[in-house]
Amino acid sequence: MNRKIFRRVSAWKILLWACLSMLGGMLLAQLALTVAELRHIDASSVQALQRAEDAARATGQALRRAEASPFDHCSEADLTVLRNITYANSYVADLARIDQGKVRCTALWGKLAQPFQLPAPHYQAGPGFDIWLRQEIVHTHSPSNLVALRRSLALTAPTTFDLNRFYQDVSLRITNGDGTRVLVEREGIRYNPAGAIGLLPAVDVTHCNSAMALCAQATARLHWYPVLYPLGLLAVLAGSFVVGALACLLHLRSRRHHSVLDRLRHGIANDEIALMYQPIVCISDRRLKGYEALARWRPADEPEIGPDIFVPLAAQNRLSSALAKAVLARALREMQDLLQADPTLMLAVNTEVADIEDPDFIRFALNLTAPLAALRPQLHLEVTERADIRSTTFTHNIELLRRAGFAIWIDDFGTGSANLSHLSYARFDGIKIDRLFTNALSTGSPLRQVLPNLLRLADELDLQVVIEGIESEEQLQLIRSIAPDIHAQGWLFSKALELAEVLQQRPSSANDELGLAA
């Protein structure tokens, strides 16, 4: 029932995260579009101001060159000079000569049969420059801004503010420095109001050049992403939905991992790590020689959790030492009386390399057993080797424990990283051979030839041996024929026992044959 509720809650969480992610994706898409459009409007204003500055400089230079003409005004030579200046300047549509307020001739039209009377200038810009705005003079096709310097007159080109096509969707206004005169006003020729709605305002961006008394204002209405890019919106929503769902799954997984990790910390601290005891017997006559303590995590009001889950979890999150302390303390507490009653009885406790390298664990083991130092030789610490053991700390601590009386074994010998090379780095009292070799005895596996060599090597090095995984009489007889003096454990002799079963089925004499059925 709890799992169904958890799954239902998880499904709602995933859906909620996905929907929120879709909303966030849409908001981010709108924000990205808005930022891009603001930059676009700003760039339009900057480019327009740059164009106005260039046009003002070019027009001023053209008028100064025209004033420097050495020829009589409106003479053929003078008109040739004006034409050359006009053709070389992309911001000037025509150059003219004025006398007593009248246009007498232009570079493009020559001498005018009827001089054109200019009205009073609209304003003055800088020293000596008169400005007319949107003034139409004879022979011109459209109103144009006029700039005069003494007796020379320039007509600005109508293409002066034809900006890059990228900016043609923005409306532009070029004004004088104080904004009282509009020099050029242009609507965005590609402005698309269908993509903009009243929710989003129009934006004005103005840049000015105080030295040249010019300002450029760019204006555009911001667009609404769903209207402007409907297919893009669908893609954003779909992508955001997937991202949100995946993020929620990762969050739930991480939360579950941390929840289990917190529960494991709590379980270690609150004695939730229970022990079962796997008997160890002599191969020759099945006499009981000791037990291996096997940890089981039994949280309150929850199903038991096997060591294949919590032991690696503890090792990966630096809880291995705390777990080893809890197991060692409980094993000694529960089996103390049996060990004291039978000095030949061994009790094997699993440890990790990290535990042996941890000085706090070494202190704990020594302090815990200090009142019962006589029992230390009966305590066999089996090092479960999951990584290479070549550190000086490990070797030093192994020797420290052995001098204190503990017996040190290599667990799962012959598999993984636990191999012959480790026997040259530290002194051990025994090896435990993995069930992999036991299973190979009754098959055609090449490993069948390895076991006798391992047992011969152990005998030459004076190492005690326990072989795991004996499940059949055939396996027992094969091993007995090879090495009758070693110890073994397996379901052929007994399953792992609860403490109550150990105490109930304990033989009255250590020399009695183990009377436990598999």
Side-chain angles (χ1 to χ4, degrees):
M1 185 65 181
N2 289 336
R3 290 185 178 181
K4 289 182 179 180
I5 295 175
F6 175 77
R7 289 174 182 171
R8 189 178 305 168
V9 171
S10 297
W12 276 109
K13 282 186 176 180
I14 292 172
L15 182 61
L16 178 61
W17 276 53
C19 292
L20 291 176
S21 182
M22 289 172 63
L23 178 60
M26 186 174 69
L27 293 177
L28 286 176
Q30 179 61 49
L31 178 62
L33 175 64
T34 300
V35 170
E37 289 191 329
L38 290 174
R39 290 180 176 176
H40 175 70
I41 297 168
D42 181 76
S44 300
S45 175
V46 170
Q47 190 182 76
L49 179 62
Q50 183 65 51
R51 188 64 65 88
E53 293 170 353
D54 293 344
R57 291 191 191 96
T59 301
Q61 291 173 0
L63 289 171
R64 292 187 185 93
R65 288 182 61 192
E67 282 296 298
S69 172
F71 305 106
D72 292 337
H73 287 186
C74 291
S75 65
E76 283 303 318
D78 183 54
L79 290 174
T80 299
V81 171
L82 295 183
R83 290 190 192 99
N84 290 336
I85 296 172
T86 301
Y87 295 154
N89 197 312
S90 60
Y91 295 106
V92 176
D94 200 356
L95 279 174
R97 296 295 187 186
I98 55 176
D99 183 30
Q100 297 179 357
K102 292 182 179 181
V103 178
R104 301 291 181 176
C105 62
T106 75
L108 300 183
W109 298 99
K111 290 183 179 180
L112 300 180
Q114 186 67 35
F116 179 76
Q117 181 67 49
L118 288 170
H122 292 142
Y123 72 99
Q124 289 188 332
F129 288 98
D130 294 326
I131 307 293
W132 290 264
L133 301 177
R134 291 175 295 281
Q135 181 67 49
E136 183 177 359
I137 65 173
V138 66
H139 301 304
T140 60
H141 301 289
S142 61
S144 176
N145 291 344
L146 310 179
V147 182
L149 177 63
R150 293 187 290 276
R151 297 182 63 189
S152 300
L153 180 71
L155 286 72
T156 59
T159 58
T160 296
F161 293 99
D162 289 346
L163 302 184
N164 185 303
R165 285 182 300 175
F166 183 65
Y167 300 109
Q168 290 182 0
D169 57 339
V170 178
S171 297
L172 296 173
R173 295 178 75 218
I174 309 299
T175 66
N176 61 345
D178 57 12
T180 57
R181 302 284 182 175
V182 178
L183 307 182
V184 177
E185 189 166 23
R186 191 206 71 184
E187 289 293 329
I189 60 175
R190 293 198 303 155
Y191 181 65
N192 178 21
I197 60 176
L199 268 175
L200 302 177
V203 175
D204 298 329
V205 178
T206 302
H207 288 276
C208 295
N209 184 327
S210 57
M212 301 188 71
L214 289 172
C215 289
Q217 181 188 73
T219 304
R221 181 176 291 279
L222 298 177
H223 292 75
W224 184 244
Y225 189 88
V227 178
L228 195 62
Y229 301 110
L231 294 180
L233 176 66
L234 293 178
V236 167
L237 292 179
S240 300
F241 185 91
V242 172
V243 169
L246 290 177
C248 185
L249 287 172
L250 291 175
H251 170 74
L252 291 175
R253 181 178 179 182
S254 174
R255 186 175 177 182
R256 183 179 179 185
H257 171 79
H258 287 291
S259 176
V260 172
L261 190 58
D262 291 340
R263 286 287 297 113
L264 178 57
R265 286 194 183 94
H266 179 272
I268 293 174
N270 289 272
D271 206 27
E272 291 181 356
I273 305 301
L275 298 181
M276 298 185 72
Y277 297 94
Q278 178 76 47
I280 300 172
V281 303
C282 180
I283 280 286
S284 60
D285 54 11
R286 300 194 186 191
R287 292 178 184 273
L288 179 69
K289 300 303 294 183
Y291 297 92
E292 178 184 3
L294 304 177
R296 299 291 186 267
W297 182 16
R298 293 171 178 170
D301 302 324
E302 292 185 27
E304 179 181 291
I305 299 175
D308 56 323
I309 295 177
F310 71 85
V311 171
L313 183 66
Q316 293 166 10
N317 293 276
R318 300 183 179 181
L319 291 177
S320 175
S321 182
L323 179 61
K325 291 177 187 177
V327 171
L328 180 60
R330 183 158 190 161
L332 188 59
R333 183 174 70 245
E334 292 180 346
M335 300 293 284
Q336 175 182 336
D337 291 342
L338 288 181
L339 295 176
Q340 289 176 324
D342 184 357
T344 65
L345 199 65
M346 71 172 70
L347 177 61
V349 177
N350 290 311
T351 61
E352 301 280 347
V353 173
D355 305 334
I356 303 299
E357 291 180 334
D358 184 0
D360 189 53
F361 175 77
I362 302 300
R363 285 192 296 270
F364 176 84
L366 294 176
N367 293 335
L368 178 69
T369 57
L372 303 167
L375 297 182
R376 286 176 180 171
Q378 295 173 258
L379 294 175
H380 294 197
L381 301 182
E382 297 182 356
V383 182
T384 303
E385 172 46 15
R386 304 179 194 274
D388 197 15
I389 51 173
R390 300 190 183 185
S391 73
T392 56
T393 302
F394 179 84
T395 304
H396 174 268
N397 289 348
I398 284 290
E399 287 303 313
L400 186 64
L401 290 170
R402 293 187 76 251
R403 285 198 301 269
F406 289 94
I408 308 298
W409 288 52
I410 298 181
D411 196 9
D412 298 333
F413 189 81
T415 65
S417 298
N419 54 55
L420 295 174
S421 66
H422 294 152
L423 298 178
S424 64
Y425 289 101
R427 294 179 60 191
F428 295 91
D429 297 283
I431 59 174
K432 179 171 282 189
I433 298 177
D434 188 80
R435 67 180 61 246
L436 175 70
F437 298 97
T438 307
N439 295 334
L441 283 176
S442 55
T443 68
S445 170
L447 291 178
R448 183 176 182 179
Q449 305 302 322
V450 175
L451 183 59
N453 294 327
L454 289 179
L455 295 173
R456 189 178 304 110
L457 175 66
D459 182 60
E460 292 175 358
L461 296 177
D462 195 25
L463 294 171
Q464 299 182 61
V465 177
V466 171
I467 187 166
E468 296 180 299
I470 306 296
E471 297 181 356
S472 68
E473 284 289 343
E474 179 186 5
Q475 292 173 333
L476 175 62
Q477 295 305 324
L478 286 171
I479 294 173
R480 183 180 287 172
S481 65
I482 300 171
D485 297 327
I486 67 172
H487 300 154
Q489 60 187 103
W491 277 39
L492 177 64
F493 311 114
S494 173
K495 63 180 180 63
L497 305 174
E498 298 286 350
L499 177 62
E501 294 176 296
V502 171
L503 298 178
Q504 180 181 0
Q505 300 182 19
R506 174 79 176 105
S508 58
S509 171
N511 294 321
D512 290 338
E513 182 178 332
L514 181 66
L516 299 175

